Amino acid sequence: MKIKTICVVGAGLMGHQIALQAAISGFESFCTDTSEAALQKAQDFALDWIKKNQEKGKIDENEADAIKKRLTFTSDLESAACGADLVIEAIVEILAVKRELFARLDKICPPHTILATNSSYLVSSKIADATSRPDKVLNMHFFNPALIMKLVEVVQGPHVSDQTVETVMEVSRALGKVPTRVNKEIYGFVANRVFSAITQEACYMLDQGVASVEDIDNAVRFGLGHPMGPFALLDLVGIDLEYDVRMARYQETGLAQDKPSPALVARFAADNFGRKSGKGFYDYKK
Ligand code: NAI
């Protein structure tokens, strides 16, 4: 199936850049949100991106106009989604809200439309049965910032057809991304699982007094060739986000290995969330 029109639902941190990326890559792109303020911010960001890239000579006037023409912002879900071949949901991480949205999309969209969720942790099998087309409901997981990060994880739950996966892999490539096919639904998918294992081990070593924050980061950077150490990366992602994700997982599994480490808990409790609050594992006020 050829995808021509993409609708992104949710114009927040992830959605606004996914919708812009779709328009840049030549798709007819609709961006919708229940919040007018979020839509305005997304539109301002897109216009600013187009202006800056035109000034830098990266796109010419014709391309700038074409991207603007291909990108529509509207709070009307029905008009945004009714002509879409692919819908990418990027709304709040609450299962009941996502299920309600997918049930609505199922009624609005034509039968061929693929309904994807950008969720990092909710697998599509928890959502698919809210629709009449489970074979066309899957996780299409972008990374932040979506305009820059190349990876898209395409996850094939047991209900998803091969054709749906192949179409979404192809669209991801057309969006300039590198898709990874994940053959099974697994908590955290691939990249976040690896990141989680590294950060948990780094925190464990810090708690045990094995090495300092700086030395563990240096070992990972200069020994393993990672561009950033795990603590610098946690400060960037947000210690509050990491704490919430770990705590939710721990409450679900009850396994000691999933429990947030004392190093993480102490910083979370002191409101030291990382770069955004000026202090985390590193002090950014200095
Ligand atoms: P966000 O909070 O920045 O944006 C969510 C947007 O959805 C808000 O603008 C909100 O007004 C809108 N919204 C809420 N309910 C809605 C509804 N029923 N209909 C339409 N719009 C609605 O959230 P963010 O960070 O962009 O995350 C969105 C999704 O993307 C989540 O599922 C998250 O797991 C996933 N994700 C987040 C990443 C991140 O680094 N923040 C990375 C990859 C995936």
Side-chain angles (χ1 to χ4, degrees):
M1 197 210 354
K2 193 91 192 127
I3 304 286
K4 292 191 181 126
T5 303
I6 295 178
C7 167
V8 179
V9 187
L13 192 65
M14 294 303 294
H16 80 284
Q17 293 204 11
I18 299 171
L20 176 57
Q21 182 65 63
I24 295 166
S25 307
F27 294 93
E28 205 64 48
S29 176
F30 289 83
C31 184
T32 181
D33 198 294
T34 45
S35 155
E36 291 289 353
L39 280 174
Q40 189 59 55
K41 210 171 146 196
Q43 185 161 20
D44 292 346
F45 176 88
L47 293 176
D48 190 51
W49 184 95
I50 293 166
K51 188 167 161 256
K52 281 192 181 133
N53 278 272
Q54 207 180 336
E55 281 165 5
K56 284 185 205 157
K58 289 190 176 170
I59 53 172
D60 62 22
E61 199 182 333
N62 286 344
E63 273 173 284
D65 287 345
I67 295 169
K68 278 186 218 164
K69 248 177 105 179
R70 287 196 291 266
L71 188 53
T72 304
F73 295 91
T74 172
S75 56
D76 180 11
L77 177 70
E78 194 148 347
S79 69
C82 68
D85 304 307
L86 167 68
V87 176
I88 303 171
E89 168 273 312
I91 68 165
V92 281
E93 189 77 339
I94 301 172
L95 181 59
V97 182
K98 289 200 196 275
R99 283 181 63 88
E100 195 187 324
L101 174 67
F102 274 70
R104 271 189 80 194
L105 288 168
D106 190 40
K107 292 198 175 74
I108 293 170
C109 298
H112 75 272
T113 308
I114 293 174
L115 306 178
T117 174
N118 181 48
S119 175
S120 298
Y121 294 100
L122 295 170
V123 289
S124 74
S125 58
K126 292 192 172 165
I127 303 171
D129 67 339
T131 76
S132 61
R133 61 183 90 194
D135 60 309
K136 296 187 183 72
V137 177
L138 82 172
N139 288 83
M140 181 183 188
H141 184 224
F142 291 79
F143 286 74
N144 182 27
L147 275 175
I148 293 169
M149 298 299 279
K150 289 274 183 198
L151 180 63
V152 173
E153 291 172 327
V154 181
V155 186
Q156 185 163 27
H159 54 283
V160 186
S161 72
D162 286 341
Q163 200 199 329
T164 300
V165 172
E166 275 145 29
T167 303
V168 174
M169 294 284 287
E170 196 185 310
V171 175
S172 303
R173 286 188 204 100
L175 288 167
K177 304 298 178 193
V178 179
T180 285
R181 185 178 183 141
V182 183
N183 298 320
K184 284 181 180 174
E185 287 192 337
I186 184 167
Y187 178 82
F189 313 134
V190 174
N192 282 343
R193 279 186 84 87
V194 174
F195 177 57
S196 170
I198 291 173
T199 56
Q200 192 73 338
E201 186 60 29
C203 287
Y204 170 78
M205 286 191 286
L206 185 66
D207 289 333
Q208 296 297 312
V210 172
S212 69
V213 165
E214 289 82 1
D215 283 339
I216 294 170
D217 270 1
N218 281 342
V220 173
R221 284 177 67 203
F222 302 111
L224 303 179
H226 292 201
M228 278 176 107
F231 294 117
L233 198 51
L234 277 175
D235 277 355
L236 188 68
V237 171
I239 286 168
D240 49 340
L241 182 72
E242 177 72 8
Y243 176 85
D244 287 346
V245 165
R246 280 210 179 277
M247 208 54 197
R249 182 67 180 159
Y250 176 57
Q251 276 160 0
E252 208 178 306
T253 67
L255 296 173
Q257 71 209 48
D258 292 325
K259 198 173 177 180
S261 86
L264 198 72
V265 175
R267 284 160 181 86
F268 177 78
D271 287 347
N272 290 330
F273 298 150
R275 280 180 188 261
K276 67 173 108 169
S277 60
K279 197 172 173 193
F281 288 100
Y282 292 92
D283 191 346
Y284 299 92
K285 291 176 199 134
K286 282 181 192 158

